[in-house]
Amino acid sequence: MRVNSQMTRVVATPLTQEALADLKAGEHVLLTGVIYTARDAAHRRIIEAVERGDGPPIDLRGQTLYYVGPTPPRPGDVIGSAGPTTAYRMDPFTIQMLALGVKATIGKGGRGKEVRDAQVKHRAVYFGAIGGSGALLSGRIRRVEVVAYEDLETEAIRRLEVVEFPVIVVNDIYGADLLEQGKAEWRKQAPFTTEPPPYIV
């Protein structure tokens, strides 16, 4: 995945509107502050709660959701391996989550067009984290607390305090898509083929 040549920037969470406006697809970012974990089961429960009129179990306004189901920690560690889950698995829930105030999500791979359009509408971003780097990412997590749905075990919602957690802006609030940019650039360099190789998707 190609990235722009700008310097890596440190960004505090929860994200402000000013920070969101400054982020551009392709930039390297180090997140410092609080993010929350949530995968399929937690998303489903949140949506069901909202549909019942109960509201989400945590205030999602301005928050960042990390698509991860961490493994149990080893003795002395605050968390186990914490690599990203494929983001499109959460696409069926994401538009509703953005409407509830979520301003950023973190996963691996791309998002569908409806989600990308909703990110522009709600001024939210999607960050990519590097798959297969769970141990490295775990080292950037300083504190962990289960805050909802403890019975879901690894898929419970956790509050993470992170320091310089490395991500790349894949979709910014203006509709730019780093993965689509990469595909277009590849096609220019290989005009006699129709599809990029799998590693660029």
Side-chain angles (χ1 to χ4, degrees):
M1 189 162 47
R2 288 179 178 270
V3 296
N4 294 340
S5 59
Q6 295 99 327
M7 292 178 58
T8 300
R9 65 170 69 191
V10 178
V11 176
T13 62
L15 296 165
T16 64
Q17 288 298 329
E18 292 77 12
L20 288 163
D22 283 343
L23 295 173
K24 302 296 188 299
E27 288 186 321
H28 284 236
V29 173
L30 298 175
L31 297 176
T32 294
V34 171
I35 63 178
Y36 290 89
T37 71
R39 288 206 315 183
D40 315 49
H43 278 72
R44 190 172 294 108
R45 282 204 186 173
I46 291 170
I47 298 305
E48 290 171 351
V50 170
E51 289 175 347
R52 290 195 306 268
D54 296 336
I58 60 173
D59 187 354
L60 294 171
R61 291 174 295 182
Q63 300 302 336
T64 298
L65 296 184
Y66 181 26
Y67 301 149
V68 62
T71 63
R74 295 180 299 182
D77 293 341
V78 299
I79 196 169
S81 180
T85 297
T86 302
Y88 75 77
R89 286 174 46 182
M90 264 53 70
D91 277 12
F93 313 104
T94 300
I95 294 174
Q96 290 163 288
M97 302 300 281
L98 296 176
L100 291 170
V102 170
K103 287 299 179 184
T105 56
I106 305 171
K108 65 179 179 180
R111 310 307 301 259
K113 185 179 186 306
E114 289 185 354
V115 170
R116 298 198 305 267
D117 291 344
Q119 289 173 155
V120 174
K121 175 182 177 181
H122 294 285
R123 295 179 65 80
V125 300
Y126 167 56
F127 295 116
I130 304 302
S133 60
L136 170 65
L137 297 174
S138 299
R140 300 295 185 173
I141 300 169
R142 299 293 187 259
R143 190 166 183 268
V144 180
E145 177 187 4
V146 175
V147 294
Y149 309 145
E150 186 172 5
D151 63 298
L152 294 179
E153 298 179 345
T154 189
E155 292 208 33
I157 297 178
R158 289 169 168 80
R159 180 183 185 274
L160 307 182
E161 293 181 13
V162 301
V163 175
E164 297 191 351
F165 189 90
V167 293
I168 299 171
V169 183
V170 177
N171 301 133
D172 59 32
I173 67 172
Y174 307 104
D177 186 313
L178 177 62
L179 299 179
E180 293 301 319
Q181 292 172 359
K183 291 177 184 178
E185 182 177 340
W186 185 88
R187 289 188 181 102
K188 288 179 183 177
Q189 296 175 4
F192 300 108
T193 60
T194 57
E195 290 299 324
Y199 63 79
I200 205 168
V201 178

